[in-house]
Amino acid sequence: MGRIYISSPIDEVQLAKQAQPFVDALQGRIPTVDELVELTESNDVDLATMVFYEAVRSATDNRDFIEAVEKQAVGQVTPRKITMLVLPALFYEQHPEVGGDGAQIISVAKACGIDARLVPTISCGGIDDDLPIIIKALQDVTDGEIWVVTLSKGAAEWCCVLREHADDIPLDRITTWINAGGLPRGAHVNDVMTSSRVRRVKARALCKIIRMDYQSFCEFGTASARLQEPLTMPEHVRVFNVIGSPLSSHVEKSMQTRFRMLKHMGPNDGMVLLPWALWLPGFVYPVLGADHFFRGSQISAILYRLFAFVFNGPDPAEPHKKQ
């Protein structure tokens, strides 16, 4: 039958207590990749993940935001005209049950009075396949405020739109970017899967099976120079990162092999090291227990509260600032 989970459930309360001295030593900042690698090597990936999670929640630039989100009532409806465009994940058409099509996000947004739409990118497409589709979707929103929500590869594509096509989109009306489990600078798992001759052969075979161009697959890795090019987010665009922070015992079965590939490198969601999943400066809401597929009983309530926080905030015409 094989293993169903990577590990058995653990006492998360005691793990958080064990993590607290490391969090205190960070003095209100989020740990770096190198610090998390060191912590993983000297202890284990679960402790390092809990340190990351608690450090994000208590970070100087973040704790008031999290407290404010958690005070929001579920079910509020926005009085403003907002169009939300959701940029989906890889395989969203082949495996809608995973949630990469953003159906849950769209459902919550519509209940909040937001006109939420899926951007129909190519399910196994590369960046250049998808950019024209994303640009057209943005151009088709002719009035009102625009929110962009990105899942997985959608974050990388969104960043490329901003770098390469900012003059082709209604940037002045894009007020909010919600990076939900995204890969703004690529996925470490793609790097690992192409790190040796044998692995590259396997990756090419996988791409053939899923009908994805191999070079496009590689372009979604963190080794992609295109994804590491400098990008300064426009001041008026508010950035919110919502990311999973799974312990070993939380990881979905289909994500376990990839989580194991990366765990020696530190806390990850099965696709990317957690600090690399963030776009900073920006607010961060970590979700303990969720992996890259971003599933869990608490997700809907978090989305309701986050959306309410954003549309109850300052006038979006003002420059980006703390709320």
Side-chain angles (χ1 to χ4, degrees):
M1 181 175 177
R3 296 179 70 91
I4 298 174
Y5 289 97
I6 294 174
S7 65
S8 58
I10 63 172
D11 185 340
E12 295 164 9
V13 172
Q14 292 303 316
L15 185 65
K17 289 181 179 179
Q18 187 181 353
Q20 195 57 50
F22 298 98
V23 175
D24 293 341
L26 292 166
Q27 298 183 326
R29 63 178 180 83
I30 297 173
T32 65
V33 170
D34 288 344
E35 288 171 327
L36 292 170
V37 169
E38 182 179 348
L39 194 55
T40 299
E41 291 175 345
S42 61
N43 293 272
D44 59 36
V45 72
D46 284 345
L47 177 63
T49 300
M50 186 61 80
V51 169
F52 174 85
Y53 170 78
E54 294 290 353
V56 168
R57 287 190 60 88
S58 61
T60 303
D61 295 334
N62 215 48
R63 59 188 173 220
D64 291 345
F65 156 70
I66 291 176
E67 182 179 344
V69 168
E70 293 176 350
K71 287 180 178 177
Q72 297 292 324
V74 170
Q76 297 181 63
V77 177
T78 178
R80 303 204 301 259
K81 179 176 176 54
I82 301 171
T83 300
M84 174 187 289
L85 297 182
V86 178
L87 278 53
L90 193 70
F91 301 131
Y92 78 93
E93 290 183 328
Q94 291 87 343
H95 294 284
E97 74 279 5
V98 170
D101 59 357
Q104 181 184 26
I105 294 172
I106 290 171
S107 175
V108 171
K110 287 182 175 179
C112 292
I114 299 169
D115 179 10
R117 314 170 187 174
L118 175 68
V119 177
T121 55
I122 298 172
S123 187
C124 289
I127 294 172
D128 288 325
D129 298 317
D130 291 341
L131 290 197
I133 300 170
I134 297 168
I135 292 168
K136 184 178 185 305
L138 288 163
Q139 292 172 341
D140 286 346
V141 182
T142 56
D143 64 334
E145 182 181 345
I146 302 172
W147 293 8
V148 175
V149 176
T150 58
L151 300 170
S152 195
K153 72 164 184 166
E157 293 171 338
W158 167 237
C159 289
C160 286
V161 169
L162 289 175
R163 287 189 188 95
E164 302 167 17
H165 298 280
D167 292 339
D168 300 325
I169 60 175
L171 187 56
D172 60 324
R173 290 191 290 109
I174 300 172
T175 65
T176 302
W177 171 27
I178 298 175
N179 170 36
L183 308 169
R185 292 177 290 160
H188 292 91
V189 75
N190 291 48
D191 302 338
V192 174
M193 291 175 69
T194 56
S195 61
S196 70
R197 179 179 172 277
V198 171
R199 285 179 168 173
R200 285 191 290 273
V201 169
K202 291 181 178 179
R204 286 181 183 276
L206 172 65
C207 287
K208 188 172 183 179
I209 292 170
I210 66 175
R211 298 181 181 179
M212 182 176 188
D213 178 72
Y214 175 72
Q215 293 304 320
S216 294
F217 175 84
C218 293
E219 197 165 35
F220 284 115
T222 66
S224 169
R226 186 177 188 181
L227 299 186
Q228 309 314 320
E229 291 179 5
L231 171 62
T232 300
M233 195 61 51
E235 280 191 348
H236 70 279
V237 177
R238 300 164 294 182
V239 180
F240 301 92
N241 302 275
V242 187
I243 63 163
S245 302
L247 304 179
S248 300
S249 58
H250 297 148
V251 180
E252 297 274 350
K253 189 170 179 62
S254 60
M255 190 64 72
Q256 289 174 12
T257 298
R258 284 168 279 185
F259 181 87
R260 286 193 185 98
M261 284 182 181
L262 300 179
K263 72 174 189 176
H264 69 284
M265 301 166 65
N268 70 89
D269 68 358
M271 290 291 288
V272 63
L273 301 183
L274 297 187
W276 278 67
L278 307 179
W279 188 271
L280 300 174
F283 295 117
V284 188
Y285 195 104
V287 183
L288 188 67
D291 61 24
H292 188 72
F293 288 157
F294 204 60
R295 300 170 69 94
S297 61
Q298 73 274 51
I299 300 298
S300 291
I302 290 170
L303 293 172
Y304 275 105
R305 291 188 171 101
L306 175 63
F307 296 164
F309 172 83
V310 179
F311 63 62
N312 287 330
D315 184 338
E318 295 180 8
H320 172 60
K321 59 185 179 181
K322 289 185 185 179
Q323 300 185 31

